[in-house]
Amino acid sequence: MASSDPNKRPPPPPGPDSAAMPPSSWAKRTGFRPKFSGETNASDSGQISAMPPPEPPVSSSQARPKPPNSSLDLEAGRPRAAPNGEAAARDRAKEEKEKERKVEREKELAPPVRKRRDSDGGKNLGANGQPAAGEGSRRAVRNEEADVLPQSVLDDDGFISRQSHMKYELRDSPGLVPIGLYGFQHFLSMLGSLILIPLVLVPAMGGSHEDTANVVSTVLFISGVTTLLHISFGSRLPLIQGPSFVYLAPALAIINSPEFLGLNGNNFKHIMKELQGAVIIGSAFQAFLGYSGLMSIFVRLINPVVVAPTVAAVGLSFYSYGFPRVGTCIEIGAVQILLVIVFSLYLRKVSILGHRVFLIYAVPLGLFITWATAFLLTESGVYNYKGCDANIPASNIISDHCRKHVSRMKSCRVDTTQALRAAPWFRFPYPLQWGTPVFHWNMALVMCVVSIISSVDSVGSYHASSLLVASRPPTAGVLSRGIGLEGLSSILAGLWGTGTGSTTLTENVHTIAVTKMGSRKAVQLGACILIALSLIGKVGGFIASIPQVIVAALLCFMWAMLTALGLSNLRYSEAGSSRNIIIVGLSLFFSLSIPAYFQQYGISPNSNVSVPSYLQPYIVASHGPIQTKSSGLNYVLNTLLSLHMVVAFLLALILDNTVPGSRQERGVYVWSEREAARREPAVCKDYELPFRVSRMFRWVKWVGL
C-alpha cells in the first residue's frame, strides 16, 4: 500500500502547457463565475434545489494532482508556475486532508432521507420537478416546523418524488377517530373561505338575515357534496371545494348591473336567479373545457409566472372594500385584524399537545374572541344612545342625534340581527329553492371567462398540493378530469343557488402545509360532517349573525393571504430573473390601473351614486368607456376589463408565452407522462378512479391516467 506521507510522494506529472490552450475570455481562463441577482441561478428563487452527492474520500496516494488556486494570476489571466514541487505537494496533501474531514462532517450532519413507500429514490430535483443547475451550494433541509413544500427527487424512471414531512399522506388511514378529528380540523381551519362570501353577497342583493342564513347552509351543503365528488372522481387530491373569491367580484358586478339598480323591495330572489343562470352556463363551459381534453392542451400555456399575478390580483382587487368597512367600527375591526396577525405570525410556533393551535385556527380563534368582546360591549351599554333604535331603518329616523349614530350602532352592536332566533332547527337545502334560473348571454359570457380564471387558479393548487401529499404530480389527463368535475360541481352550485361557483379553494395548499395532514379519507369524512352541519338551520343562523365589521376584518386577512399565496407560485421559477420580474410587475400594476380607469370613467366627484362607496367599482357596466351599438357587448367588455384578475391573466399569459425564456427560468410546470404513470403502481393508486371506474373509461385517453 502506498504511503500517505506527502514528503515521500512522487512529484506530480507535469500538466499541459497553458500556451497550448485555445484562446478564451479572461473569465473562462480564471474560472470566474458571476453571481448576479438570479439571471443565472434559480436555486435562490425559492425553488427547492438538489445537491449532487459528495465525492467519496480519496486516499492521498490516489489523488490526482491539481494546481492550487493561489497560483492563479488574475492580472495576467494565466497560472503562474509553483515555486517548487515539494512545497506544492505539501499544499495538496493539506487540501486533501481538509476535504476528507469536510466530507466526514457532512455525512455526520446530513439527516436521513425518508422516502415515500412504493417509490424508488434517485437524483434530487427542484420543487417544480426540474433539474436545477449550480445546486451544490445548498441542500434543502425540511423539518417539522417548516410550512413549505417538501424536497422533490427524481427516480430512475424520471418521475418526481420527494422527501415527506407529512403526518398523514394521500392514501394513509390511521383510524376512524384520528381521521374524524383531522378532517374536522381541516375544514375548521378554512372556515373563513367557506362562510364569508355569502355574508358579502346576500346583503348586497338586498336579502334579509334569514336569506343569509339559508344561503350559508346551502354553501356548506354544496361544499361538502362537491368535495366528496372531487376527491372521489376528480383530481383525487385532498382539496376542499367551496365558493372561491374568484367569483366574488364578477358576482358583485352582476348584482350592481343597471337593470337591477332600479328594483324596489326585496330583490334578492330576482338577482339570485340571474346569478344562477350565469353560473350554470359558465360552469358548463368549464366542464366542457375539462372533459373534452382542451384543458390538457391549454395547460401548456399556464406556468407559475401566469398563475402568480392572476391569483394575487384576486386578493388585491378588494382593497376598496376591506378597510372602509372596518372603519365603520374601528375598535372592533382593528382588534379582529390584530388578533389574527398575532396568532398567525407571532404565535405560529406555539404548540399545544403537538398542534400549532394558533396558526391552524387563527381565523376561528380571532372570530370568537372579537365576537365575545363585541357582545360584552353591547350588553354593557357602550353602544346605547338615548332614544335611538338600531333596528329602525335610517330613512325613518327623524332625530339628527340618532342619524349621527345609527351607522355606528348597526356596525358595532351584535344584537341587530334576529337570524339565529328565526332560523329553524332543521332545513334541507334543495335545488331551485329560489326559483327557476334566468339566462342572459352577456352575464353568462362574463362567467365563462371567470371559469377560465378559476381553472388557472386550480392548476396552481393541483401542482403544489401534489408535491406535498402524492407520490408524483398528476398527469395532464388527471388535471383535465379535475377541471371537468369542478365544472360539474359549479353547475350543482348554480342549481342550488349559492351565488358563486364551487371550485378548489386556493387556501388548501397553506392548510395542508400547516396541518401536515394530506389524507383524502380525512377530508372526505370532514366533508360528511360539513353536510350534517348544513342540515342544522341554527348553524346557518349563527354564522349569519356575525357583525359585518368582523366579516370585513376577516376578509382583509383572507384577501392578503390570497395575494401572498398567489405570489408564492413564483418559487417554482427564477424569481430573480429580470424577465419574470418585469412580467409580474407589469401584470400587477396594470391589473390595478386599467380597471381603475374603467371604474372611474364618467363619474364626477359630485355625482350622486345610489350604491355605497365600497360597491362603486362594480357599477362600471352603466358608465364604462366602451360604448358601441350593442348594449350587451358594452356590458361584457366594460365588466371584464374592470376585473383586476382578468387584466392580470391576459397580460401575464401573453407576455410569458411570447417573451423568450428557458424552461427553468419560466418554471414550466412538469406533469407526469401518461404511459409512464400507468406503469408506476404508486401513481395508479394515487390518481385512479375508485370502484374500477377507470377500466370503463380507458378509451378516453385524454382524461385520467
Side-chain angles (χ1 to χ4, degrees), residues 149 460-461 464-465 468 505-514 571:
L149 292 182
S461 299
S465 61
L468 283 166
L505 300 178
T506 312
E507 297 82 357
N508 271 293
V509 178
H510 175 262
T511 301
I512 293 174
V514 170
R571 67 182 177 270

Side-chain angles (χ1 to χ4, degrees), residues 611-693:
V611 299
S613 59
Y614 51 84
L615 292 178
Q616 287 183 13
Y618 308 104
I619 62 173
V620 66
S622 60
H623 60 80
I626 298 178
Q627 299 294 333
T628 65
K629 295 181 180 180
S630 173
S631 59
L633 183 61
N634 297 340
Y635 178 89
V636 171
L637 294 179
N638 285 322
T639 301
L640 287 178
L641 292 177
S642 68
L643 299 178
H644 303 75
M645 59 184 178
V646 174
V647 177
F649 169 68
L650 292 176
L651 283 174
L653 182 71
I654 294 172
L655 292 176
D656 184 53
N657 289 281
T658 56
V659 177
S662 65
R663 291 175 60 87
Q664 181 180 342
E665 185 179 20
R666 298 173 62 196
V668 175
Y669 285 134
V670 178
W671 309 101
S672 299
E673 294 293 335
R674 179 176 180 270
E675 294 300 328
R678 292 180 63 179
R679 296 194 301 267
E680 179 70 15
V683 181
C684 293
K685 292 178 182 179
D686 284 346
Y687 297 112
E688 267 191 345
L689 295 178
F691 314 118
R692 299 184 179 180
V693 178

